[in-house]
Amino acid sequence: MAAMTDESFSGDVASQPAIRLRGIRNAFGTQVVHDQLDLDVRRGEVLGVVGGSGTGKSVLLRTIIGLQIPAAGEIELLGERIEAGRGEMPTRKLQGRFGMMFQDGALFSSLTVAQNIMAPMRERGGIPKLLMRELALLKINMVGLPPNAADKFPSQLSGGMRKRASLARALALDPQVVFLDEPTAGLDPIGASNFDMLIRDLQSSLNLTVVMVTHDLDSLVAICDRIAVLLDKQVTVGTMQELVANPHPWIQEYFHGPRARAAFETPGLKG
Amino acid sequence: MGFSGTGDVPGDNHHADRFIPVSLDWGEQDVAAAVETSLSITEAGGELRVGIAGPLTVEAAARLDRQFRQAVKASPRQVVIDAAEVTALDSAGAWVLRRTSEAFSGRGIDVRLDGLQSEFEALLEKAFIPDPDVPTDEDRPNPLIVITARAGKAMFDMAHVGRDLFGFFGLTIVSLLALLTGRTKLRFVALVSQLEYVGLNAVGIVALLCFLVGVVLAYMGSLQLERFGAAILTVNLVGVSVLREIGVLLTAIIVAGRSGSAFTAQIGTMKVNQEVDALETLGLSPVDVLVIPRLIALFIALPILVFIGDIAGLAGGAMISVLTLDLTIQQFLTQLRGAVDFWDFGTGMLKAPVFAYVIAVVGCHQGLKVSGSAESVGFRTTKAVVESIFIVIVLDALFAVFFAEIGI
């Protein structure tokens, strides 16, 4: 191991949060979405982000990955500090350690699935062509797509397959943190639960930190270690048990509504 | 340990001894990734030792890929992959490890993977490609075959396009007949709004371009004809060519580029948004709702635009005649009256509705053929413009022959 001179590394790297947000403020015109928002995402956890419509779930994800510049606050990504409130952006290099899966896949429609997965590798440079192709096929297999999907165009795939392809692209460079925007939206219950298992499986084998926006209570129960609830322009984070006990009326309604009860009653899961 | 990670590896067998230190600058914050990765390949007594030290991540895999591929060409009795000093592994590294090991084991050579940390085993398990026979980008077939196949496919595609277009043409006729017999109603508001768009809004550009072409024609013509002392025939040249060909052809091409493409893009975008499907579930025929108003609008607008184009072209010719040939407007008109007869004007105007029909049908047809993606809209729009201009010019040539044969 190399000598560690920087003081910030003298502690256990693994115990540092992967993402630390402090005092984030996002506003569109006069409408304030986030104010004084603090959030820690621990390494190796699956964090679910929930909240009503318009509470800024997607805005939060976009803020973390640098697509949205907050009005104030600072962000620490994998130990690197970004004065986001002063317009600082994560470096390209840092962005390369993140993977993002967009809600509708956002696959490049003029490229095949394999080419889509190879796109970030090409951008990165220095990887031999044949190895890129092999890695693309590897990722295709990892996300559970058939090998013949490699040379198909996104328009030739079903919605569920597109989501898997999009996940494969997010994983192309073995990122440390993966952001998923509504990964199971629009999937049938079987497809959704398979996708949940896939995320869990990849998370443990690739040692990923996962931040996912979801409205799927089954996903929350099945794979999330902790849940961040966006409320009153801030987040409340806790495990499922902690949140169920939280007296806030919105949280009570969310976790005690008829759908929530159905999700908790699934055999083998304890509420 | 048989060798040390970054130390010198002694080797008496010089061509079997490869030592490649690799430095990484990816992710400074990641202490594990900041150290060098080294690969050593040594062969002794029929045993090939592949030693890897340092983080085996995508960076290292990319740099060492060639060496790994080279290494598997050897045919030792036994292979030992020493992975005890692998400090980090990602899926790219795991794949390279697994590929290397399977390349030997696939040939019946005994492979042993030593010392890989247990936490990496799950990843190694995941790193495999089920069907390695999937054709890669490298396996390109014979270019001659590709070209022949492409030409053949293009021929078939052309035949299919022709058949589809003919079918769609028939569909619009049926819809028009239903309209004439009163079984469907004309969408009047849609028609008027399309008329404004394809007709009124196009007047300026059509008039301007036809005027300029009239100017150019008269100017070039007068320069040539002056040499024969027949400068006055410039008026005949401008009159006949503008009325018979230039006016209608130029207008049709402008309209195909401006309105035909818009038809494709509008209908195509509706198709992408599933609006066309929605129409059908409401019991409405997309042809009745979307195609017929555009078709009728263009059918009415194009002849009017051609007439405007004709006038503008003649005006351009008149301006040059007055300025460079010292003719008065009166003389120009007298000469023009002698030079052209009704059928010079008539043939041009007869072609206009035919061209209008072609442009509208091709534009709408391509719009309805849009499928799925945004890219498809762009592709179909280009195709609509090219196809309609092509058909317009071919028809124009046929018309020229036809009119010459019947003597008008």
Side-chain angles (χ1 to χ4, degrees):
Chain A
M1 274 285 153
M4 291 180 289
T5 47
D6 193 321
E7 222 184 315
S8 65
F9 293 124
S10 53
D12 188 0
V13 175
S15 70
Q16 274 182 8
I19 301 164
R20 192 205 305 261
L21 303 182
R22 287 291 174 269
I24 294 294
R25 179 186 167 86
N26 269 310
F28 299 101
T30 55
Q31 192 203 347
V32 179
V33 182
H34 303 133
D35 196 19
Q36 286 299 317
L37 181 146
D38 298 345
L39 175 67
D40 283 354
V41 181
R42 298 175 191 155
R43 287 194 190 223
E45 77 169 341
V46 179
L47 180 76
V49 179
V50 303
S53 297
T55 51
K57 300 180 295 289
S58 295
V59 176
L60 185 64
L61 279 199
R62 293 170 63 88
T63 305
I64 299 172
I65 56 179
L67 287 175
Q68 162 84 29
I69 296 169
E74 63 180 62
I75 301 172
E76 203 178 293
L77 298 174
L78 300 168
E80 224 165 286
R81 252 175 72 152
I82 296 154
E83 299 273 350
R86 292 189 202 144
E88 217 180 354
M89 300 263 290
T91 56
R92 290 289 296 272
K93 203 188 233 174
L94 192 57
Q95 279 179 332
R97 296 160 78 193
F98 293 87
M100 169 90 189
M101 181 190 140
F102 290 91
Q103 198 169 342
D104 299 313
L107 291 166
F108 304 122
S109 57
S110 56
L111 302 180
T112 62
V113 170
Q115 286 169 336
N116 260 289
I117 300 169
M118 281 151 69
M121 301 185 204
R122 268 185 215 287
E123 212 43 51
R124 162 80 178 280
I127 305 175
K129 249 184 125 178
L130 190 56
L131 182 64
M132 276 206 282
R133 172 82 186 178
E134 286 172 350
L135 292 180
L137 292 174
L138 180 69
K139 300 287 145 82
I140 285 169
N141 183 52
M142 274 185 169
V143 298
L145 285 173
N148 65 12
D151 295 313
K152 285 187 178 157
F153 286 95
S155 57
Q156 295 170 289
L157 300 179
S158 70
M161 289 170 88
R162 267 206 292 277
K163 279 185 189 282
R164 284 172 190 264
S166 174
L167 182 62
R169 186 180 67 184
L171 295 175
L173 288 175
D174 281 272
Q176 293 171 357
V177 185
V178 177
F179 299 95
L180 309 172
D181 195 355
E182 305 235 13
T184 55
L187 294 185
D188 64 274
I190 299 170
S193 103
N194 286 342
F195 206 86
D196 283 346
M197 289 307 115
L198 173 68
I199 293 169
R200 199 49 168 162
D201 191 29
L202 290 174
Q203 188 269 334
S204 62
S205 56
L206 300 177
N207 196 20
L208 296 170
T209 304
V210 178
V211 179
M212 59 192 269
V213 168
T214 185
H215 275 304
D216 190 337
L217 280 152
D218 293 314
S219 297
L220 288 176
V221 174
I223 65 170
C224 291
D225 298 312
R226 293 193 307 156
I227 297 164
V229 186
L230 274 159
L231 270 180
D232 309 325
K233 295 162 192 164
Q234 300 191 340
V235 284
T236 308
V237 191
T239 61
M240 184 63 93
Q241 282 86 345
E242 287 163 11
L243 289 174
V244 168
N246 191 306
H248 191 287
W250 193 87
I251 298 179
Q252 281 299 309
E253 202 179 335
Y254 193 89
F255 290 104
H256 293 278
R259 282 159 176 270
R261 273 201 296 278
F264 294 141
E265 277 160 17
T266 314
L269 298 168
K270 50 234 172 274
Chain B
M1 192 74 34
F3 66 97
S4 77
T6 47
D8 210 4
V9 178
D12 39 8
N13 191 348
H14 69 277
H15 54 248
D17 179 2
R18 299 174 202 96
F19 175 70
I20 306 103
V22 174
S23 78
L24 292 161
D25 61 349
W26 179 255
E28 301 137 336
Q29 300 291 338
D30 215 329
V31 180
V35 298
E36 287 187 340
T37 305
S38 67
L39 170 66
S40 74
I41 297 160
T42 48
E43 192 168 0
E47 187 191 83
L48 188 76
R49 274 191 90 80
V50 180
I52 306 147
L56 189 57
T57 54
V58 61
E59 184 81 356
R63 296 216 187 161
L64 299 174
D65 189 46
R66 210 152 52 90
Q67 281 75 34
F68 273 110
R69 280 184 206 280
Q70 202 71 79
V72 301
K73 286 185 184 152
S75 299
R77 241 180 337 98
Q78 197 190 355
V79 178
V80 176
I81 300 176
D82 187 344
E85 293 189 30
V86 172
T87 53
L89 191 71
D90 68 2
S91 58
W95 161 248
V96 170
L97 265 190
R98 184 151 175 167
R99 186 190 67 195
T100 306
S101 127
E102 280 177 0
F104 286 118
S105 62
R107 288 187 286 147
I109 298 167
D110 191 28
V111 184
R112 206 172 75 229
L113 180 62
D114 266 0
L116 186 71
Q117 290 177 43
S118 55
E119 58 182 292
F120 297 145
E121 268 160 21
L123 187 56
L124 196 63
E125 198 57 40
K126 276 231 153 295
F128 95 110
I129 300 172
D131 181 9
D133 295 334
V134 172
T136 66
D137 278 354
E138 311 323 289
D139 298 343
R140 291 196 194 284
N142 186 340
L144 208 65
I145 295 173
V146 172
I147 291 172
T148 317
R150 206 181 286 169
K153 192 177 176 308
M155 287 302 292
F156 270 100
D157 284 352
M158 220 146 85
H160 285 150
V161 167
R163 192 192 57 191
D164 285 359
L165 195 62
F166 206 64
F168 189 72
F169 177 74
L171 205 59
T172 59
I173 299 277
V174 170
S175 278
L176 280 177
L177 284 178
L179 191 66
L180 287 178
T181 54
R183 271 187 291 148
T184 52
K185 265 197 296 191
L186 180 64
R187 276 152 220 284
F188 194 70
V189 178
L191 174 66
V192 173
S193 112
Q194 286 297 331
L195 258 181
E196 180 187 352
Y197 179 73
V198 302
L200 195 60
N201 294 354
V203 167
I205 185 82
V206 165
L208 177 66
L209 291 184
C210 286
F211 179 82
L212 290 176
V213 170
V215 166
V216 171
L217 209 57
Y219 191 67
M220 299 309 290
S222 69
L223 285 181
Q224 300 301 319
L225 292 169
E226 243 170 6
R227 299 192 201 175
F228 302 101
I232 188 72
L233 290 181
T234 303
V235 181
N236 300 45
L237 173 73
V238 171
V240 173
S241 55
V242 165
L243 291 182
R244 268 192 182 260
E245 298 291 341
I246 304 283
V248 64
L249 206 52
L250 193 60
T251 308
I253 289 171
I254 295 166
V255 167
R258 180 181 182 286
S259 307
S261 61
F263 290 174
T264 310
Q266 289 160 355
I267 296 178
T269 310
M270 291 182 74
K271 187 95 196 239
V272 172
N273 292 337
Q274 292 191 305
E275 289 172 55
V276 174
D277 295 343
L279 276 179
E280 263 176 291
T281 59
L282 295 175
L284 298 166
S285 151
V287 175
D288 287 346
V289 178
L290 302 175
V291 179
I292 294 300
R294 287 178 168 80
L295 186 70
I296 296 178
L298 206 57
F299 204 71
I300 298 170
L302 192 62
I304 299 173
L305 288 174
V306 168
F307 181 75
I308 293 169
D310 282 354
I311 302 298
L314 292 179
M319 189 183 87
I320 291 298
S321 303
V322 171
L323 289 179
T324 67
L325 301 178
D326 296 326
L327 293 178
T328 63
I329 287 288
Q330 197 58 52
Q331 284 169 312
F332 177 85
L333 289 176
T334 315
Q335 179 69 22
L336 187 65
R337 199 171 301 152
V340 300
D341 63 11
F342 171 77
W343 280 110
D344 287 321
F345 171 70
T347 51
M349 293 306 290
L350 266 183
K351 289 188 273 191
V354 178
F355 292 172
Y357 209 100
V358 167
I359 294 166
V361 165
V362 170
C364 294
H365 179 235
Q366 290 294 348
L368 287 172
K369 279 180 77 168
V370 165
S371 63
S373 63
E375 197 196 9
S376 169
V377 177
F379 172 74
R380 291 289 167 193
T381 307
T382 312
K383 223 170 147 66
V385 174
V386 173
E387 220 168 78
S388 53
I389 291 178
F390 173 79
I391 298 178
V392 160
I393 292 178
V394 168
L395 280 181
D396 190 62
L398 292 178
F399 269 123
V401 174
F402 174 72
F403 288 138
E405 285 297 314
I406 66 168
I408 57 173

